Amino acid sequence: MPPQTATVLHPPDLPDLNPEFATQVLEGLSAHPKRIPSTWFYDHRGSELFEQITELNEYYLTRSETALLRSLHDEFAQLPAGSAVIEFGSGSSRKTPLLLGALNAPASYTAIDISGDFLRQSVRGLQLRFPQLDVHALEADFTAPLHWPAALEADVRQQPRIGFFPGSTIGNFTPEQAVRFLHGAAQFLGPGAHLLVGVDGTQDKAKLIPAYDDARGVTAAFNRNLLTRINRELGADFNAQAFRHVARFDPAHSRIEMHLLSPRPQTVRLLGQSFTFAEGETLHTENSYKYPLAMFQRLAQSAGWTPQKHWLAADTDVALHWLQR
């Protein structure tokens, strides 16, 4: 059943209300089942918590992909000099130095992320680490159509372009959404560009569930922080601790799902509307699709990319794919 059309009211005590955020939350809470796009996880606190997740023992993905990037240092060094590196969903840019440090005299780096404060903080660190590099920050939702700032586009178009999309963030998209993103990235980067994408193809439930429901409860705090953000920015009255974090593996769709489960009936109010949760009802907050090698290559080809190479981590099903436009 499709969600109802949302009516967004602007209370006087929320003058800076983000209408897109409000619309998607209202529509998601009106839907059956209830859901909210995972894009909204990443306020400043959400970005901090995600960085903590990547350091957990259970979260194999970051560890495997980082080792893989390090192992490819000499191969990246053979790429043409003077490249422009463009990172989608840059976050803390923790893996970025592994690529920038391996490339032969890269000319520029552009970080794209929806979390502005976190983005600017990360970019400052990279400017200090690579003082010879032109570093730019583009605060934008990389899942939507992107446009170059006029002052930057002319320079970047003259440089060899390398898109960078690590962390298996592509797994946040359904196959249809992944194709749309890859097609949009191709349009944004332009003809002749390359794209380096991290992709997780893990299907082992025994490895997946702990990675998304860790013993320390960091992922649970990350999930609940979405409710805290809704309270702060939309004036809602969620009791975040009254919802239980749940991670499930759906083998039919090859994805991990994250939910917030209401163990008892409760009603939530925001922006002049009320939403009731039944006992056991969940709010679906994230999907993490796991794309095996051949499946991802088919998606990339359908979006206009040509798979050229791929590298697989030694101990997991984490891969890096090198695509050409």
Side-chain angles (χ1 to χ4, degrees), residues 146-159:
L146 292 168
H147 304 282
W148 285 104
L152 183 58
E153 182 174 17
D155 289 340
V156 170
R157 292 293 187 194
Q158 296 176 19
Q159 300 163 349

Side-chain angles (χ1 to χ4, degrees), residues 205-222:
K205 182 177 177 180
K207 185 182 285 282
L208 287 168
I209 296 298
Y212 291 84
D213 192 6
D214 61 280
R216 288 173 49 194
V218 181
T219 313
F222 172 70

